[in-house]
Structures are given as C-alpha cells and as structure tokens.
Amino acid sequence: MQTHQYDVVIVGAGGAGMRAALESSTRVRTAVISKLYPTRSHTGAAQGGMCAALANVEEDNWEWHTFDTVKGGDYLVDQDAAEVMAKEAIDAVLDLEKMGLPFNRTPEGKIDQRRFGGHTRNHGEAAVRRSCYAADRTGHMILQTLYQQCVKNEVEFYNEFYVLDLLVDHDLAAGHVPEGEEVNVSGVVAYELATGEIHVFQAKSVVIATGGAGKIFKTTSNAHTLTGDGMALAYRRGIPLEDMEFFQFHPTGLAGLGILLSEAARGEGGILRNADGERFMERYAPTIKDLAPRDIVARSMANEVREGRGAGPNKDYVLLDLTHLEPAHIDAKLPDITEFARTYLGIEPYTEPVPVYPTAHYAMGGIPTNIEGEVLRNSNDVIRGLYAAGEVACVSVHGSNRLGTNSLLDINVFGKRAGISAAHYAVGASFVDLPESPAVDVVAELEQIRVRPDGERVADLRKALQETMDANAQVFRTRESLQQALADIKALHKRFRAVSVQDKSKTFNTDLLEAVELGFLLDIAETVVVGALNRDESRGGHFREDFPKRDDENYMRHTMAYRRPLPAKGGRQWQSGADGDHDGAFAYTEVFDDYQLVLGSKPVTVTRYQPMERKY
Amino acid sequence: MTAVAEAPSKIGEVPSFTVTLRVLRHLPADDGELAERWDEFQVQAHGTDRVLDALHQVKWEQDGSLTFRRSCAHGVCGSDAMRINGRNRLACKTLLKDLDPSKPITVEPIKGLPVIKDLVVDMEPFFASYREIMPFLITTGNEPTRERLQSAEQRERFDDTTKCILCAACTSSCPVFWTDGQYFGPAAIVNAHRFIFDSRDEGGAQRLEILNDKEGVWRCRTTFNCTEACPRGIQVTKAIQEVKRAMITRAF
C-alpha cells in the first residue's frame, strides 16, 4: 500500500475534472485520479455544442438562456444556479477559445452559433442560434483542449486508478450525525489497475467529477465505463443523492444500438418522421416542433411507436430525415454522426432516413452541491472539503430535464468553480486525520470477490439489471412497473453477494473491476427507482402514466435519497421533521437487507420565474 | 470454422452467424514474465456486431480473464485500437460481417509498445512523444477581450488533424516506430500539425525545431500505413509531408 498527500485530489478526468484541475493545480498541489486515460473520458463523445448568449449571429442575452434552462427543466431548476451558469457561459466559451479550441467560425471570423432544442429567443418565441460548436465533435474538442492545457500546466495524473472509497470523519450511513455538526473529508482510497496495488490519498479537498451512470440501462449512449462510481461512493457514506429519478432519454439514438446522433442534426434542419412520413412533432410541439426539449421529443417518439406508427419491419423506431439537406452542408456540420449511421447501420444519410429511438443519456440528478461546488449532506450543511461538478453533481441547473448543450456548459462553469473553491479551502485548511487502517474494509470486500472460487457471473447480473431498467423505468413509468424494477434490484443485490470473477490475477484485472462497477450500478439503480416510485407526478424526464400531470403543490421539491442504518442496527425510525425534510409527499422509506433508503426533500430555489404550464 | 448465415425466421430479425476469434494472449506468470499463446473462441454474432461485441461475449460468457481496454464503444474515445486480421483498427468500429467471418479473425495487441496483458499495452511512451511536441496553443502578447478571430478558411487549414483521438493506431502501424520506438511517430506529428497550421498559434517554429530532431519527421518513409490505420480518416501521411515541407520552406 502506498500513501500520498495532496492539497486537492480530483476524482475523474473528463471535462469537469480537468477544468477543475486547471484552476486548482495553479494554486495548490493537486492530483487527478482517473480510471481512464483522460482523453478516453465521455466528454469526448458530446457532439452538438455548448450554449452561451454570445449574440454573435443574432440577438440574445443570458436572461433568455436562464429562462429556457428553467422552463426546459420543468421548473425544478434552482434558478440562482441557472442564472450563474447562463451568465458565466459567455466567459466559459471565450476561455476555451483562448485555450485554442477550434470552434466553427462566422464569415467575420467570430465563433459561429446554431440552433438547439429548447433554446429560444425572448422566452419561447422561436428557436435561437445560441450553441457554439466545432462540427459535431464539440465534446471531443473540449476534452482535447482541456487535456492540452493540463499537459501545458504539468497537471499530475494517476491514470487507470479506480477510486474505491471516499474517506470522511463521520460515516453518515453508519449512524446519526445531527444537523449543523461538522463533517470533513480526509481523502480517498484507490486501486491501481496495472498492479492491483492500493493507494491511499490524503487530501484537504476532494473534488468528485466521475460523470454519469447510463449503464444502469441497456439502451444507452453512455460508455461502458459510466457506472455511477462517484455517486455510489458518496451514497455509501450516507451523502444524499438528489433527483435521481430524473434521467434523460435522448431522442435520437441509432435504433437498436443507442449510439448518439446529436440534436444538432435537427438544429441544422433534420426532421423526425413516422412510418407514414409524417412530421409528427408538429402535433406535439407546434411552435418549435423537432427542436422541443428532449423529454418531450423522446416521449412523442415512443408514443408514435406505441400507437403503431413506428417505421421498420417491427415498427419499433422512427426516422431522422436529413435527405433534404445538401450533402456538402451535412459534411461540414454533421460529419461524425452521418459516419456512425454508415458504419453501424449501413445507412447513407444523404439519401435514406436514419432509424432512431430514444437512448438513456444523462443523469439530471446526482450529488447535491451549492453554486460553489460544495457538497451538501442535507438541505443546509456542507461537507467541509468535499466538492462535486459535472454530471455526477446536482447543482441543480438541469432540474427535471436538461437542455441540449447545457452539459458541456455545466462542466466548464461548475468544474471551474469547484476547482477554485477546492483550492481556496485547501489553502486555509489542515489535513484531517485519516481513519485508522483506511483501506481495510474495501480491500477485504475486493479480495472476497477476487478469490471466491465460483458464484454469480457479473455479466448475468448486469444484463438482468439493465433489462429491468429498460422495461420498467424508462420513458414511460407506472407504480407497477417501478415496483417490479425495485423487486428485481433487491433480488440482484442478494445475488451480488455471491458474485465471483474468473480472473484471479492482480495485473490489469478488469474482470474484478467490472464486479466493483456492478455494485455501483445496483446502488444507483435503487435510488433512481425509489425516487421515481415516490414521485406521483410527471415532470420533465420523469413520466408516470398513472400520474400524467405535474403536481407543484406536492412535488415541486428536490428528492433527496439517504442511505441510513436499519433501526435494528443502530439506525432510527424516520419521522417527520428529521433531517432532510422527511415529510409530506417525501415521507417514504424503503428497507433493504442491510440498510434503509430514506427519502427527504430540498426546496427549489425560485428567483425570477414562477412555474407555468410548459408548452412549446 | 465456417460461418453459417441462418435464414431470418421472421421479418426484421437480424441473421446470426458463428465466428471464430483467434486472440494472441499475454498472461502474466508468477515470475512476472508474460506467457504468450494463441487462444481460439467461438462466438455467436449478429449483423451489426463489432469485434468489440465479440470480445465482450468472450469475456462475459467464456473467459473473464481476457483483457482489453474499451470505453465509448463507437469510435470516439480511442481505447480499443488493436491489430485485427493484421491491420490496426478500433475493435468498436470494425463490424464482424465486414471481415469475412468464414475465416478465423485474428486479434493481437498493437505493435511497438510494451504489452502489459493480453491486448493491453503500455501507452506511456506514446503519450510521452505527444507531450514533447508541445500540444497546446502558444500565443504571445495581450489576450483579447473577446475571441481571437479566425476565418473559416484558416480554420479549415488544420481541421483534419483536430480529429485525432490519440488511439495510437497510426503510430503502432509504422514500421519505423517498430524498429526501436525512438521515432516520435505519426500521432505526435499529427498533433504538432494541428497547432503549426492554426493561424492563432505562435509556437510553430519551436515545434518544427523539435521535429527536426534525428528521431523527428525525417524518419518517415511515407509508407502510408498510418493513413490506412487511422480510424478517424485523417490524412496522416499528408499531414507529415506538410510538416516536412514547412520545415524546409518555413512557410506555414
């Protein structure tokens, strides 16, 4: 075992992690720990762009962007955070340009901008050109540019290191810590993939930037490695997860494969059609049609298929039609996604429409933070020294549905903020003592899995989880479907205790790490399903067929999911008024074998915009 | 092993076929040495399956110790470059049906970098060359308040080389790189090109000086392996030639 000491440790080297590192590493001694080489991170798969009201091509301002973000999120957005993001978007884009990002240009040589779903002029009048982009590989350019800057600044990386545990001085999942009491982070435990060696990192500040958890679903645009690691590590230590029931299904995944085709395809004029060739979005969103927010488009597509108007031999997808666009225009603006259609489906988008269907894409929820990136352990108290940014976090700028391009914006604005906050905190703080034998428990669990001679196969359990999530917790949900998913997850938790791997070596044992990741996925899935089960309303990405209307009176609050000990194991019976606002519509507890999942809520910050009916 | 395409039993069903994978394994032995051997696996595949799907099927259903890197699974993260039927490709962008599945498909690690286990190689030497060419925008003078201006034509000048995903398919296909691993390699030069021809950058002369080294661009023998190997379709050899030309003419 090796021990390291850094002022700031950043977990994850995607957009948010590297943006944080660029701020932190120039101020204090910083390490970035990543389970992948930084340039493999999934930020690189983002395509369409990053919105900012630069007004380079038409009139625009940050207030319109804020409004669109709030309305797009179906009013569950914290409006102070959305305002920060929309204001700082402009500098975030300019920062990237100055770092060398090769944006597409206007004839005057300025950064070009294009239309994107839900981004409008003057509070919904018409689509506005707000997305700054580099063809359909904007995420790739952001990831490369941030990595280039990290090389320039000699940022210290620990590549292919898996973080197994988050170290805090009070384990909130083990017992009650009263509101207001100080809780501090002290570091992380990591596993070096190449050698199997354990490394303990002691740090004054830790920034979690591990991205999303799309692999809880079968059909997803997410990478194999997006297994919710950071969220699960926090949850296991009793840190709440916020709004986990809100998962975005991107309308245009390649049918059957889930590979993402950017909304930019529609921003550039692409049209969705059903089997009859009808432009069906005219019926669902008469004003902005195909450029309605993703939740609305995804549901409309699923509805077309359900009602028998799907295309293809099994009528199980709809068509993305680009055939009316000039091939030269497609090549200039959408080269990668058209290549995906050719490579994977053998479809020529110049002349044939592309089969598409919604694909699990983005977790709106995550680890709750304030606008400085500090992690909250309930509605009010922060954990000192702990920060989170990007998809793993919930600020909440996305509410119940994220607008396209706002994720690349989120990682840049809040990655930067978290990096600065973490460094500032580290300057004034001292190291918190590590727990005695900080790695013993996680190493024991890991060894159990590694040496267990025979047992359940990781791939079988993962497949069963993904199938139940696709069948029961996807675009359309009901109480019954969610109860089925929950029962399946509980059964899988039991089977997971007998999981074993075939690779017994200590060298680059990805078999073992897939088992660890499966454990994370099960934890995340339970928070998604329990949150969805309790939310008897439909809002943004969460649609309950048995409760198809939004219910502001009971549910205009953020869900908080807390892992707590069972009463028999020193926990307590939860009651109204306990920490986390465990009351009203959120007085819900779900008992698992070794712990209970206690829901609570957190108020939504409303500043300028009162909730209105959401029409496009 | 021959592939048998089953007739679709109902409309819309994708025909499935059996393929044989021959994988060059490198398994760490107790003494720390790697034991090399060829393993054969048979997998059931569908029309849209890629080599990565076949490898996953082996790992998840037959032999969990088979080790390879992967992440995005659609050709943008650059994790899974490997030698497939003797050519460098991304496993996630290579469809089995395009490989003549009637013959065994051979899979080996990319060449010229030290193998860690099975298909996983040590990428550090590759990234070290990348870092040496100063792969970041270099400017002098005061920063503008707004963006730096760049015409669409100036942007187009280096568009091709911005597509690089650092997968090492090009560098590890280069016979010069195979000889001793000292040559910078195509990927590093591609990334130098990306900045040398960026109108905003002022570090071109420094980068050309670095690549004028005896292990620099002049070791390129123009075999075009790199261009063929690039999964992003970058004209790698052309980019290297442009850097050579810039070195002579000092015009870029």
Side-chain angles (χ1 to χ4, degrees):
Chain A
M1 192 180 86
Q2 292 188 37
T3 309
H4 312 261
Q5 219 181 38
Y6 285 91
D7 293 312
V8 174
V9 161
I10 296 168
V11 185
M18 289 203 284
R19 191 66 191 79
L22 290 177
E23 299 301 330
S24 171
S25 65
T26 53
R27 294 173 167 86
V28 294
R29 191 157 176 270
T30 300
V32 182
I33 306 175
S34 171
K35 71 175 182 178
L36 302 170
Y37 271 88
T39 57
R40 313 299 182 219
S41 303
H42 211 54
T43 296
Q47 297 166 354
M50 170 167 164
C51 272
L54 296 182
N56 275 1
V57 290
E58 59 181 315
E59 189 189 356
D60 198 5
N61 65 64
W62 62 259
E63 190 273 320
W64 294 353
H65 187 181
T66 308
F67 173 79
D68 289 338
T69 300
V70 171
K71 182 182 173 189
D74 218 351
Y75 296 93
L76 201 69
V77 171
D78 286 320
Q79 298 182 10
D80 55 338
E83 186 168 323
V84 162
M85 184 171 78
K87 280 181 181 163
E88 295 183 6
I90 295 161
D91 276 340
V93 167
L94 296 176
D95 280 355
L96 287 168
E97 197 285 329
K98 287 169 195 173
M99 291 177 195
L101 197 140
F103 284 107
N104 277 44
R105 300 287 171 160
T106 66
E108 305 81 55
K110 297 195 281 190
I111 295 169
D112 197 14
Q113 299 186 273
R114 67 179 165 201
R115 298 186 183 94
F116 235 83
H119 290 279
T120 70
R121 169 161 47 92
N122 196 18
H123 311 101
E125 273 179 15
V128 74
R129 293 175 64 180
R130 184 178 291 149
S131 168
C132 309
Y133 66 100
D136 55 355
R137 34 181 101 101
T138 314
H140 164 77
M141 299 302 186
I142 289 177
L143 189 70
Q144 295 290 328
T145 301
L146 292 175
Y147 184 61
Q148 290 157 5
Q149 292 298 307
C150 286
V151 170
K152 182 180 176 187
N153 291 338
E154 298 179 354
V155 171
E156 273 190 71
F157 287 100
Y158 289 82
N159 294 329
E160 297 183 328
F161 276 55
Y162 284 64
V163 172
L164 300 177
D165 200 4
L166 178 67
L167 301 172
V168 281
D169 60 0
H170 291 72
D171 184 353
L172 302 164
H176 182 63
V177 180
E179 261 190 70
E181 195 161 314
E182 197 175 299
V183 179
N184 298 280
V185 75
S186 59
V188 299
V189 179
Y191 174 95
E192 184 178 0
L193 184 60
T195 60
E197 192 175 3
I198 296 293
H199 296 251
V200 174
F201 290 82
Q202 188 180 23
K204 296 174 183 171
S205 305
V206 172
V207 182
I208 306 178
T210 55
K215 279 287 158 184
I216 58 174
F217 293 97
K218 182 175 160 208
T219 306
T220 175
S221 64
N222 283 199
H224 286 284
T225 42
L226 284 172
T227 47
D229 307 10
M231 295 175 191
L233 292 171
Y235 177 58
R236 287 174 182 185
R237 288 294 179 198
I239 296 164
L241 295 180
E242 178 177 349
D243 288 342
M244 292 301 285
E245 63 271 33
F246 297 105
F247 214 95
Q248 178 165 84
F249 299 91
H250 193 290
T252 52
L254 275 186
L257 296 171
I259 295 171
L260 181 68
L261 298 186
S262 173
E263 196 166 297
R266 284 169 283 138
E268 296 291 349
I271 291 170
L272 291 166
R273 298 186 190 281
N274 60 22
D276 308 326
E278 184 203 5
R279 184 181 192 179
F280 57 86
M281 282 311 299
E282 285 179 332
R283 275 188 275 120
Y284 298 94
T287 310
I288 55 175
K289 304 180 180 78
D290 298 276
L291 285 175
R294 290 173 178 172
D295 59 324
I296 294 175
V297 179
R299 265 196 302 282
S300 307
M301 290 167 64
N303 200 50
E304 288 300 295
V305 166
R306 246 181 7 172
E307 294 183 355
R309 292 187 293 276
N314 296 327
K315 295 178 169 294
D316 58 356
Y317 53 76
V318 301
L319 298 165
L320 175 63
D321 185 2
L322 304 175
T323 58
H324 53 291
L325 304 179
E326 282 297 317
H329 183 70
I330 292 177
D331 290 348
K333 301 293 179 74
L334 307 167
D336 276 7
I337 61 165
T338 44
E339 196 196 317
F340 295 155
R342 288 181 199 117
T343 303
Y344 296 111
L345 292 183
I347 296 273
E348 175 46 67
Y350 294 160
T351 53
E352 296 167 88
V354 183
V356 290
Y357 200 71
T359 181
H361 185 56
Y362 188 87
M364 267 74 73
I367 301 171
T369 72
N370 60 24
I371 55 172
E372 307 306 333
E374 295 173 290
V375 170
L376 295 164
R377 71 175 180 91
N378 52 38
S379 298
N380 309 306
D381 298 322
V382 299
I383 294 181
R384 291 160 59 95
L386 186 60
Y387 302 83
E391 190 173 345
V392 74
C394 182
V395 184
S396 157
V397 285
H398 308 308
S400 60
N401 171 63
R402 173 174 71 72
L403 288 189
T405 77
N406 272 356
S407 57
L408 290 179
L409 185 53
D410 180 2
I411 59 177
N412 278 287
V413 168
F414 291 102
K416 178 176 179 177
R417 281 177 160 253
I420 293 171
S421 301
H424 279 172
Y425 179 77
V427 166
S430 1
F431 285 100
V432 173
D433 288 341
L434 290 170
E436 221 171 297
S437 329
V440 164
D441 292 348
V442 285
V443 170
E445 280 172 45
L446 198 67
E447 276 301 287
Q448 263 189 357
I449 299 175
R450 189 175 70 87
V451 302
R452 189 173 287 139
D454 199 21
E456 293 277 3
R457 229 183 240 280
V458 172
D460 294 344
L461 303 191
R462 187 175 49 213
K463 188 162 173 248
L465 171 70
Q466 292 170 340
E467 283 180 351
T468 189
M469 291 299 285
D470 265 25
N472 298 311
Q474 222 218 22
V475 177
F476 296 114
R477 301 164 170 177
T478 64
R479 170 161 298 155
E480 288 68 39
S481 75
L482 292 163
Q483 276 167 341
Q484 181 60 53
L486 183 58
D488 292 342
I489 292 165
K490 285 183 173 177
L492 290 167
H493 269 303
K494 286 197 207 317
R495 291 173 65 188
F496 182 69
R497 281 188 223 120
V499 85
S500 84
V501 295
Q502 284 173 288
D503 192 341
K504 305 295 182 196
S505 80
K506 296 216 164 178
T507 307
F508 222 92
N509 191 340
T510 53
D511 204 19
L512 180 61
L513 271 303
E514 282 191 36
V516 172
E517 291 172 332
L518 171 62
F520 294 149
L521 289 174
L522 288 169
D523 284 354
I524 298 308
E526 82 188 24
T527 65
V528 172
V529 169
V530 169
L533 201 48
N534 182 62
R535 191 173 279 275
D536 290 343
E537 66 155 354
S538 291
R539 181 189 297 271
H542 169 67
F543 191 84
R544 284 278 300 269
E545 298 197 79
D546 38 358
F547 297 94
K549 290 246 158 42
R550 196 174 82 195
D551 175 1
D552 287 340
E553 197 180 322
N554 291 305
Y555 288 102
M556 203 170 120
R557 294 178 74 81
H558 299 292
T559 302
M560 302 283 270
Y562 299 82
R563 180 174 282 190
R564 290 291 180 263
L566 290 167
K569 294 188 180 174
R572 39 188 206 138
Q573 295 291 352
W574 284 78
Q575 50 200 316
S576 194
D579 77 350
D581 298 326
H582 179 69
D583 50 19
F586 294 87
Y588 183 97
T589 301
E590 185 65 44
V591 175
F592 289 79
D593 284 353
D594 300 327
Y595 51 85
Q596 50 183 342
L597 195 178
V598 179
L599 290 190
S601 69
K602 183 161 79 78
V604 176
T605 306
V606 175
T607 56
R608 295 165 184 263
Y609 313 106
Q610 286 305 315
M612 294 187 300
E613 196 191 348
R614 187 159 163 263
K615 275 191 182 156
Y616 285 94
Chain B
M1 181 62 213
T2 51
V4 185
E6 294 159 13
S9 56
K10 62 176 190 211
I11 291 171
E13 192 171 285
V14 186
S16 70
F17 50 90
T18 308
V19 291
T20 302
L21 286 186
R22 286 193 75 220
V23 184
L24 183 59
R25 307 289 304 267
H26 295 80
L27 293 162
D30 293 338
D31 58 2
E33 295 292 304
L34 286 174
E36 212 178 284
R37 66 164 198 249
W38 286 93
D39 275 357
E40 280 201 7
F41 303 97
Q42 307 225 328
V43 298
Q44 225 13 64
H46 295 276
T48 56
D49 282 356
R50 303 148 258 177
V51 172
L52 180 63
D53 296 307
L55 290 169
H56 269 147
Q57 212 183 108
V58 172
K59 185 173 183 68
W60 294 342
E61 294 170 18
Q62 300 181 37
D63 183 350
S65 73
L66 179 67
T67 303
F68 49 90
R69 289 191 181 98
R70 89 289 187 257
S71 187
C72 80
H74 64 285
V76 297
C77 81
S79 295
D80 63 350
M82 47 190 82
R83 241 169 113 79
I84 299 167
N85 282 355
R87 264 188 58 191
N88 279 6
R89 325 176 200 228
L90 297 182
C92 63
K93 267 193 102 170
T94 309
L95 269 67
L96 292 166
K97 71 175 171 61
D98 298 338
L99 284 176
D100 183 8
S102 67
K103 295 196 189 114
I105 293 165
T106 62
V107 184
E108 304 160 75
I110 48 176
K111 284 171 72 170
L113 291 161
V115 177
I116 296 174
K117 180 176 171 183
D118 289 348
L119 303 170
V120 175
V121 299
D122 181 3
M123 297 291 285
E124 261 322 302
F126 172 81
F127 278 101
S129 293
Y130 166 78
R131 288 193 292 266
E132 264 186 73
I133 55 91
M134 303 196 293
F136 40 80
L137 192 75
I138 296 173
T139 58
T140 55
N142 299 331
E143 258 198 358
T145 305
R146 295 283 293 195
E147 66 263 50
R148 292 191 166 80
L149 298 182
Q150 181 168 59
S151 72
E153 293 69 36
Q154 289 170 327
R155 166 70 179 74
E156 183 59 28
R157 183 66 191 86
F158 64 103
D159 182 64
D160 199 37
T161 45
T162 64
K163 296 189 297 197
C164 176
I165 54 174
L166 299 167
C167 67
C170 60
T171 294
S172 63
S173 75
C174 174
V176 179
F177 181 75
W178 294 339
T179 53
D180 56 4
Q182 296 300 303
Y183 171 42
F184 274 87
I189 301 170
V190 158
N191 281 282
H193 178 284
R194 179 251 171 273
F195 288 101
I196 291 167
F197 293 96
D198 185 336
S199 57
R200 301 168 297 176
D201 183 80
E202 296 168 54
Q206 286 166 269
R207 286 191 199 89
L208 290 175
E209 204 46 55
I210 294 165
L211 289 173
N212 204 8
D213 181 270
K214 70 177 172 27
E215 302 296 345
V217 285
W218 303 114
R219 287 199 69 187
C220 167
R221 292 288 180 272
T222 333
T223 53
F224 282 91
N225 281 18
C226 50
T227 302
E228 253 180 59
C230 179
R232 303 286 286 158
I234 300 171
Q235 299 296 309
V236 182
T237 316
K238 182 173 169 220
I240 297 173
Q241 295 312 104
E242 287 177 353
V243 172
K244 286 181 184 169
R245 197 172 305 129
M247 219 170 267
I248 294 166
T249 62
R250 294 281 152 175
F252 46 86

